[in-house]
Amino acid sequence: MNKVKRLMVGFLLLGLFASVSIAGVTGNWVTYDDKTGKKKSIINISKHGNSISGTVVKLYPGALTNCGACKGGLKNKPIKGMTVFRNLKLKDGKWQGGKILDPKNGKWYTCEIWQEGANLKVRGYILMFYRTQTWKRH
């Protein structure tokens, strides 16, 4: 009976950890231009089953408004309302395994996201080359 209780407590704690981690990244986050440091957009991160995605809900003045470099169904579509990352799942304390879009060049990159204090670190990469941005809670 002790083993069963410990197993149940373990599953309960695992569930609580996953809930806290999901709650930690969901909500609105401000993105910043890599070169100027000015606010670029607000991304809403939402949960979908056991994964998260991010949708642009606001663009600040000077931000790119349409995805002219995108291909297929996203070509020339407004960036506001666009899902710019998707299918990230929690593994080893990071959200990973999904893709993130760079609207400037229209390319999708492998993505991982993790929290550092009150900030969100967002990394897009190909092989060993990557770029990491810091987003702040809105």
Side-chain angles (χ1 to χ4, degrees), residues 65-125:
T65 57
N66 292 311
C67 198
C70 289
K71 296 177 180 37
L74 295 179
K75 178 79 174 162
N76 294 320
K77 295 291 184 188
I79 293 173
K80 183 178 177 185
M82 188 178 285
T83 298
V84 291
F85 70 84
R86 59 182 180 227
N87 300 326
L88 277 75
K89 295 183 177 153
L90 188 61
K91 181 179 179 187
D92 299 328
K94 292 183 180 181
W95 292 93
Q96 51 190 308
K99 298 288 183 182
I100 190 165
L101 174 68
D102 182 346
K104 285 184 182 178
N105 64 21
K107 294 182 180 178
W108 289 91
Y109 298 92
T110 302
C111 179
E112 64 182 15
I113 294 176
W114 67 96
Q115 283 188 269
E116 282 188 8
N119 296 325
L120 198 64
K121 295 292 186 173
V122 179
R123 178 172 291 167
Y125 59 93

Side-chain angles (χ1 to χ4, degrees), residues 1-86:
M1 188 69 166
N2 274 341
K3 287 182 183 181
V4 172
K5 282 183 183 177
R6 276 190 256 153
L7 187 60
M8 293 300 285
V9 168
F11 282 127
L12 178 64
L13 290 175
L14 183 62
L16 288 173
F17 173 73
S19 296
V20 168
S21 296
I22 289 169
V25 299
T26 59
N28 290 336
W29 295 87
V30 179
T31 70
Y32 298 86
D33 186 274
D34 290 332
K35 293 180 182 172
T36 67
K38 291 183 178 181
K39 291 180 181 179
K40 190 168 55 174
S41 65
I42 296 176
I43 306 289
N44 177 265
I45 298 178
S46 57
K47 178 185 168 201
H48 307 277
N50 65 344
S51 67
I52 58 170
S53 66
T55 302
V56 178
V57 295
K58 178 180 179 174
L59 294 172
Y60 286 95
L64 190 64
T65 57
N66 292 311
C67 198
C70 289
K71 296 177 180 37
L74 295 179
K75 178 79 174 162
N76 294 320
K77 295 291 184 188
I79 293 173
K80 183 178 177 185
M82 188 178 285
T83 298
V84 291
F85 70 84
R86 59 182 180 227

